[in-house]
Amino acid sequence: MTTLSDVALKKLLNEPSSVTMRPPYEGGNINTAIGFKCVNYLLEAAVLDHFRAVGLGATELYLVHGLNFDVTGLETRLHTVLTLDDDVLLEVTPKTKDKDDALVFGVTATVQRDGAPKKAVSSKLRVLLRRDTQVDAPAPLPEELRRFVVDRLATAEPTALAATPVDDFAGAVHRGESGDTDPVLAEIIGGDNAVGWKWKVPYYYCHFTERMQMSGYLRQMEEAKHVFVASRGISIKRMLNERGWIPVVTQCKIRFTDETIMEENLYTVYTVESVFKDMLYTSRVDFYVVRDGALVQTATGSITHGYCHKESPDAEWQMTVFDDEVLRALRGE
């Protein structure tokens, strides 16, 4: 068993750290640009490294202290595009205040452009340490960390549900279909400019044998955009082939409001809320489960999208102005 020294505790809670990483190859979906999902993976990895540097890596937290490391919220701004072979300097700065009920970290990602450092990403992440009942006789953490140890990551107040859930995946709504094919989705979506679906959460969206993790929600947020534009006739592939437009994210945020358990039926709903200056649009992404006949929201977030294009292969990326077809599709007209 290891103990955390006063010096290590001070580093964890008060002192910045840095690590250089490269984006995961998985994120190079369109030429060499890295998508927002894998950018956020880097941020989470940097905060994990901040813990690991003082002897509190995820394995140590679990096996010794019986705790699960969970990123339960993030707010990320993307200032420039990361590419596949960038050496990304990630600087983690503790931001936890006395009244915060979670550990808070600011993370800045910097890359080299034209021989000079350029800020690519800035973010704020919230972390909780959740007790795991599978570990016997866990060692306690120092007093300064115990207020961030919880039995549950979040608990939402259930809301009444008029619809009767149908747990029949042979007839369940599929990605991009009308929510009218599932009574719960139809009730959630109502008259909103939205698309949604029901799915059963697989183990590979989860961690610690039980719960959907942050990366799982990010994967769903990415898929929801893909499903939405395809359902409106402006699929990613069509925009790439016909116009050379690539989707770009300028900011995203998400926070847990409850917990989603492995193999629960999860409802993912993507709602376009606003279009700004014909260049950006912001969508809300909500996640729900049904428990004891009531609707429980397990996470909520938002994402701001636009499109970029290049005048030539070696030119800089430029933001694209939406044309009438795209504007009508985004507005559901």
Side-chain angles (χ1 to χ4, degrees):
M1 183 181 74
T2 61
T3 59
L4 199 64
S5 69
D6 290 342
V7 171
L9 185 62
K10 181 180 178 183
K11 285 183 178 180
L12 179 70
L13 295 177
N14 299 295
E15 297 181 9
S17 66
S18 64
V19 61
T20 298
M21 300 181 182
R22 285 184 174 169
Y25 194 51
E26 174 195 346
N29 306 125
I30 300 173
N31 58 58
T32 64
I34 299 297
F36 85 97
K37 175 189 69 181
C38 287
V39 170
N40 281 304
Y41 288 2
L42 274 180
L43 306 177
E44 180 181 62
V47 176
L48 270 167
D49 189 79
H50 183 78
F51 276 74
R52 191 177 296 121
V54 300
L56 280 183
T59 301
E60 181 82 6
L61 282 166
Y62 177 70
L63 293 179
V64 175
H65 301 285
L67 298 172
N68 304 161
F69 175 99
D70 275 281
V71 174
T72 62
L74 59 81
E75 298 179 24
T76 301
R77 289 183 176 272
L78 298 98
H79 308 288
T80 195
V81 175
L82 294 181
T83 61
L84 281 174
D85 292 315
D86 277 331
D87 289 314
V88 185
L89 175 63
L90 294 143
E91 297 174 285
V92 178
T93 303
K95 298 282 188 180
T96 310
K97 298 178 181 178
D98 290 342
K99 294 183 179 180
D100 285 338
D101 58 3
L103 289 152
V104 181
F105 298 93
V107 184
T108 300
T110 304
V111 293
Q112 293 291 316
R113 293 288 183 266
D114 299 322
K118 184 171 184 178
K119 182 166 70 173
V121 185
S122 56
S123 185
K124 182 172 70 174
L125 284 77
R126 293 171 56 85
V127 172
L128 285 172
L129 306 174
R130 190 191 188 279
R131 290 186 183 90
D132 195 306
T133 58
Q134 301 301 310
V135 179
D136 294 329
L141 285 177
E143 180 64 33
E144 292 89 338
L145 293 176
R146 291 178 195 170
R147 66 186 171 108
F148 309 117
V149 176
V150 297
D151 292 319
R152 191 177 180 84
L153 298 176
T155 303
E157 188 69 28
T159 58
L161 185 64
T164 300
V166 179
D167 193 9
D168 174 15
F169 273 84
V173 64
H174 298 284
R175 272 83 156 150
E177 289 184 356
S178 169
D180 293 342
T181 60
D182 184 278
V184 173
L185 268 177
E187 183 173 333
I188 295 171
I189 292 173
D192 290 341
N193 182 17
V195 66
W197 64 90
K198 177 175 72 176
W199 61 296
K200 192 175 293 291
V201 177
Y203 80 93
Y204 47 86
Y205 275 68
C206 302
H207 64 184
F208 297 112
T209 324
E210 185 179 35
R211 298 179 311 284
M212 187 159 157
Q213 60 177 298
M214 176 58 77
S215 67
Y217 289 106
L218 291 169
R219 290 162 74 176
Q220 280 289 286
M221 185 177 278
E222 182 179 55
E223 184 171 357
K225 154 62 184 270
H226 170 84
V227 169
F228 179 83
V229 293
S231 72
R232 298 299 172 89
I234 54 168
S235 74
I236 303 295
K237 180 66 170 173
R238 183 190 162 203
M239 294 295 101
L240 284 167
N241 287 352
E242 296 182 4
R243 311 183 191 188
W245 292 8
I246 73 166
V248 62
V249 172
T250 60
Q251 58 183 320
C252 63
K253 60 183 179 181
I254 188 167
R255 62 181 176 87
F256 293 5
T257 53
D258 207 287
E259 297 181 348
T260 300
I261 306 304
M262 185 188 300
E263 297 189 0
E264 276 196 299
N265 295 341
L266 187 68
Y267 298 84
T268 298
V269 178
Y270 178 97
T271 307
V272 174
E273 294 193 308
S274 63
V275 180
F276 180 68
K277 291 188 175 179
D278 295 350
M279 294 180 70
L280 295 169
Y281 67 99
T282 297
S283 303
R284 192 180 74 251
V285 189
D286 297 303
F287 303 89
Y288 304 90
V289 297
V290 176
R291 293 179 184 144
D292 299 323
L295 194 67
V296 178
Q297 185 181 60
T298 59
T300 185
S302 66
I303 185 165
T304 300
H305 265 106
Y307 290 98
C308 280
H309 71 283
K310 283 188 175 187
E311 296 296 337
S312 63
D314 58 349
E316 292 292 324
W317 291 105
Q318 298 181 32
M319 291 298 294
T320 299
V321 177
F322 303 150
D323 60 18
D324 287 343
E325 180 189 14
V326 171
L327 284 170
R328 289 195 301 271
L330 294 178
R331 291 168 177 159
E333 297 174 352

